[in-house]
Amino acid sequence: MNNTTVTLTEPGPDAGPGTSSPTAADTDTGLRAGRREWIGLGLLASVALLLSIDVSILYLALPQMSGDLGATASQQLWIMDVYSFMLAGFLVTMGTLGDRIGRRKLLMTGAVAFGAASVLAAYSVSAEMLIASRALLGIAGATLLPSSMALIRNMFRDPQQMGAAIGIFFSCFMGGMALGPLAGGLLLENFWWGSAFLLGVPFMAALLIGGRALLPEYRDTEAGRLDPASVVLSLTAILPAVYGLKEIARHGVEPLSVLAMLLGAVMGTVFVRRQRGLASPLLDLRLFANRALTSTLTILLLGGVVMAGTSLMSTMYLQTVAELSPLKAGLWLIPQNVAMVAALSAGPALARRFRPAFVMAGGLVISAAGLGVITQVSADGGPPLLVTGLVLLSAGIALPMGLGNGIIMTAAPVEKAGSAAALSETGGELGVAVGVAALGSLGTAVYRDALPAGLEDAGETVSAGLAAADGVPALVDAVQRAFTSGLHAVAAVGGLTFLALAALTVVILRRHGVASQPG
């Protein structure tokens, strides 16, 4: 692995494949990046901003687009879900493909595809066309995230600068979550729902125009050819698993969802066995031998599980217990995104003063405290206490999120940065799916048990319970209190999980210092 030859070319129109010349990061200040790299980071960060805005706008646009296209309830679910299915399924493949053919080349190709698919989605004339366009957007999105993260690894070779760059990248991603409801509201108030998709076109155009001049090309010239069978196996492992988890979250444990999960597990086993026998595997399993990388992936995965489950229950609380409209509920969630952006920005500076493991563990403890606050939320107390807990939760988790991704990128060899970034992103997607399925099911189970006599049959969802209450104040109050009990249970489990992760972080990562040289 250490003898691998790579191609690293200076950004610019004259840099062709197979050439190797020093970048700005190598001049004057050794490893430190120069102005060109920071401007290039702005370009990459704009991609992260777009992707997060795109997701949050879609929730607001769904009712309007479904009405115009005549989408059935099942089609509406596929409009929402197919993007994440394709994104999760193709991340590993695209991360490795970028390492082989060139990270900038894959990023540019993905930008063209994302822009074209955005136009198709905007002008869809049927629900089926929109679903197909969303699937293409998911595949194209899978090229953008790992390529961007891997290029940051190339552009910022100084560990401290890399930490700051990753913090900025994820700050923009979370900033998009905060801006999404506002941008969506403005677009949908003045234009038709297709404008939500067209928002991506100028971002992709800017990337295509500026990327050639600002972003370096990098590829591993000894990586070997892509194994088509491994691509198929990875898709048949990830896609059924994500589908099964989403179905469990939506309908509970049913034969089809269990069968999908089993299929994913079987194909995953076959995939791993094949990788072990290949000279140039799609996923180099030796990455998992790095204790820092594997531990950090685990921490981020479980952190994603808790965040997804808590976010689901909190959003439902705001709309069903606090009785807010979707837009008002979204506005109440903005403070937590702002807090996360601030903490992501502060993380690298804290890591220069203290060991990253201690900063990450401290963040997890703060998150646990936020979840403790959420366990005190009452059914009639309104949003303020819940939002206070969410602000603490989000600010805390931002520290291990930003620093953890820095550890993953520096722990992996530079020629495997695309694969490492893809693993991190795939773990995030799986964490969301598992969190919604597992903690969502826990919250629903506690809610059902807390329902009073006479409403047990309406325990499928809180919406069904409120419908069964039929506006009777005492019954509505009982349903809302039952759901709040489910929120408390999810928050309590999440808090204990974060405290355990904080201890694990200190024990395993305490020797990993920010000044360590990237390998």
Side-chain angles (χ1 to χ4, degrees):
M1 184 180 297
N2 293 330
N3 294 326
T4 302
T5 302
V6 298
T7 298
L8 178 60
T9 64
E10 174 75 10
D14 299 326
T19 63
S20 179
S21 56
T23 67
D26 295 315
T27 62
D28 299 330
T29 55
L31 296 177
R32 295 187 66 79
R35 182 167 55 182
R36 178 179 285 172
E37 283 77 17
W38 289 106
I39 298 175
L41 173 65
L43 204 58
L44 296 176
S46 70
V47 174
L49 182 71
L50 164 70
L51 293 176
S52 58
I53 287 178
D54 216 37
V55 171
S56 52
I57 284 181
L58 186 63
Y59 285 99
L60 295 177
L62 183 63
Q64 191 179 121
M65 70 174 69
S66 298
D68 287 351
L69 297 177
T72 65
S74 176
Q75 288 173 330
Q76 289 181 44
L77 293 176
W78 276 107
I79 289 170
M80 295 298 297
D81 287 345
V82 71
Y83 176 87
S84 60
F85 285 160
M86 294 296 104
L87 182 70
F90 279 92
L91 277 169
V92 170
T93 297
M94 294 304 181
T96 304
L97 183 62
D99 291 339
R100 283 168 160 78
I101 69 170
R103 292 164 186 169
R104 186 181 66 186
K105 181 178 181 180
L106 182 65
L107 182 69
M108 298 299 190
T109 304
V112 172
F114 197 93
S118 296
V119 174
L120 286 175
Y123 292 100
S124 292
V125 296
S126 66
E128 292 82 2
M129 182 177 176
L130 181 56
I131 291 169
S133 301
R134 289 275 294 161
L136 292 175
L137 281 169
I139 297 172
T143 69
L144 301 177
L145 287 172
S147 296
S148 297
M149 288 288 292
L151 284 171
I152 290 174
R153 172 75 163 88
N154 297 138
M155 295 158 63
F156 298 92
R157 297 165 59 196
D158 175 78
Q160 292 186 4
Q161 286 190 323
M162 187 190 303
I166 290 175
I168 291 171
F169 184 82
F170 280 101
S171 293
C172 286
F173 188 86
M174 296 313 304
M177 299 296 289
L179 291 174
L182 300 178
L186 289 173
L187 286 173
L188 296 173
E189 187 174 332
N190 295 283
F191 305 100
W192 96 114
W193 57 263
S195 62
F197 292 105
L198 292 180
L199 183 65
V201 175
F203 281 84
M204 295 301 106
L207 179 59
L208 289 170
I209 293 170
R212 179 72 175 172
L214 295 170
L215 303 176
E217 182 57 288
Y218 184 103
R219 64 186 178 89
D220 181 357
T221 57
E222 295 187 359
R225 300 181 63 182
L226 197 68
D227 179 42
S230 294
V231 173
V232 173
L233 288 172
S234 71
L235 291 173
T236 53
I238 295 173
L239 292 179
V242 174
Y243 172 80
L245 288 168
K246 284 182 175 287
E247 286 299 298
I248 289 173
R250 190 171 291 137
H251 304 297
V253 179
E254 295 182 346
L256 180 61
S257 57
V258 172
L259 185 62
M261 299 267 306
L262 289 174
L263 175 62
V266 170
M267 300 311 294
T269 302
V270 176
F271 173 78
V272 169
R273 290 174 64 90
R274 182 169 181 83
Q275 301 316 291
R276 287 175 174 166
L278 292 176
S280 296
L282 180 68
L283 178 62
D284 192 342
L285 300 180
R286 290 176 295 179
L287 287 172
F288 294 102
N290 187 300
R291 190 181 182 191
L293 185 147
T294 304
S295 301
T296 305
L297 283 173
T298 302
I299 291 166
L300 294 183
L301 172 65
L302 294 177
V305 169
V306 173
M307 289 297 295
T310 306
S311 297
L312 171 69
M313 297 295 291
S314 298
T315 303
M316 293 176 67
Y317 172 93
L318 290 173
Q319 295 186 61
T320 60
V321 179
E323 299 180 354
L324 300 177
S325 67
L327 180 57
K328 289 183 178 179
L331 293 175
W332 272 103
L333 295 175
I334 288 178
Q336 76 173 70
N337 292 322
V338 173
M340 183 172 280
V341 170
L344 280 166
S345 302
L350 291 172
R352 287 194 290 269
R353 297 191 60 185
F354 310 100
R355 284 192 175 275
F358 296 153
V359 177
M360 293 169 65
L364 290 165
V365 172
I366 292 172
S367 290
L371 290 165
V373 171
I374 293 174
T375 63
Q376 304 306 306
V377 170
S378 64
D380 53 7
L385 189 60
L386 173 66
V387 172
T388 300
L390 290 174
V391 166
L392 290 172
L393 170 64
S394 300
I397 195 61
L399 296 175
M401 179 193 299
L403 297 178
N405 275 285
I407 290 175
I408 290 170
M409 298 309 295
T410 55
V414 68
E415 68 272 14
K416 300 294 182 183
S419 296
L423 284 175
S424 176
E425 297 294 341
T426 303
E429 291 294 321
L430 291 177
V432 170
V434 173
V436 170
L439 294 185
S441 298
L442 170 64
T444 300
V446 173
Y447 157 71
R448 288 172 182 164
D449 289 341
L451 284 172
L455 287 175
E456 298 92 337
D457 294 338
E460 186 67 26
T461 64
V462 64
S463 298
L466 291 172
D470 198 24
V472 178
L475 294 180
V476 169
D477 181 68
V479 170
Q480 291 175 335
R481 290 183 184 280
F483 182 80
T484 304
S485 298
L487 172 65
H488 292 166
V490 169
V493 170
L496 293 174
T497 301
F498 276 159
L499 290 175
L501 289 177
L504 177 69
T505 300
V506 171
V507 170
I508 295 181
L509 298 178
R510 67 182 184 276
R511 297 186 184 279
H512 192 94
V514 71
S516 61
Q517 178 69 27

